[in-house]
Amino acid sequence: MKHYLLATLLLAATLTTGAATYDYLVFETSDGTQLSMTADGLKMVYNDGMLTVTNGSVTQTFPTSALSRMFFSNTKQGDDATAISMATADDLNDSEVQVYDLSGRLITPRTSNLEPSNLRPGLYIFKKGNTTTKKLVK
């Protein structure tokens, strides 16, 4: 009952204060998976430990115990952000960017200037703040 009340209060406060200025509400599970849903017209229902989110034809259900956070964003996150771009030196030289391999391991640069040529060719996950992107290193 305590979790239900807390979740209801947080959702009500969050939706009434921020939905008008952001395009997406992002749901992040404890394993780091993110799902973005358009905030406009979003409907959420909490029932018996499950949060069901509906927007038009898209419906997603989460056990509330698996949700680590929800946040508003002006850009798509997670599975909606399917674009893959080429990694550049600017991407890697940004001190706020964290680079992960596809196994979820943080890639630690050996020097302060990590160049794409210092990484093995492949796909990497770049995270900066609340934005996660996929980058290809050739």
Side-chain angles (χ1 to χ4, degrees):
M1 181 68 169
K2 180 180 174 184
H3 291 293
Y4 172 73
L5 181 59
L6 179 61
T8 302
L9 291 174
L10 287 174
L11 287 174
T14 303
L15 289 176
T16 57
T17 60
T21 59
Y22 292 98
D23 297 326
Y24 302 97
L25 181 58
V26 182
F27 300 87
E28 185 173 320
T29 60
S30 55
D31 68 358
T33 303
Q34 293 181 339
L35 172 71
S36 298
M37 295 191 74
T38 305
D40 187 36
L42 191 67
K43 179 182 176 185
M44 294 188 287
V45 176
Y46 176 81
N47 186 19
D48 199 26
M50 302 296 283
L51 180 66
T52 302
V53 185
T54 305
N55 189 351
S57 61
V58 178
T59 299
Q60 180 70 39
T61 301
F62 302 96
T64 53
S65 60
L67 285 173
S68 63
R69 66 183 179 142
M70 296 183 297
F71 59 93
F72 286 100
S73 176
N74 283 321
T75 58
K76 289 184 179 181
Q77 307 285 319
D79 68 341
D80 290 329
T82 58
I84 299 173
S85 58
M86 295 297 296
T88 66
D90 288 341
D91 293 328
L92 295 167
N93 288 330
D94 188 334
S95 63
E96 295 178 28
V97 170
Q98 295 175 307
V99 180
Y100 296 86
D101 66 14
L102 292 182
S103 298
R105 290 181 294 228
L106 178 64
I107 304 299
T108 305
R110 294 183 183 188
T111 66
S112 59
N113 293 326
L114 181 60
E115 298 288 333
S117 60
N118 295 76
L119 295 173
R120 292 183 180 180
L123 188 61
Y124 293 86
I125 306 299
F126 284 59
K127 184 174 182 183
K128 180 176 180 178
N130 289 333
T131 302
T132 303
T133 57
K134 299 173 192 106
K135 302 280 185 174
L136 181 64
V137 174
K138 285 191 172 185

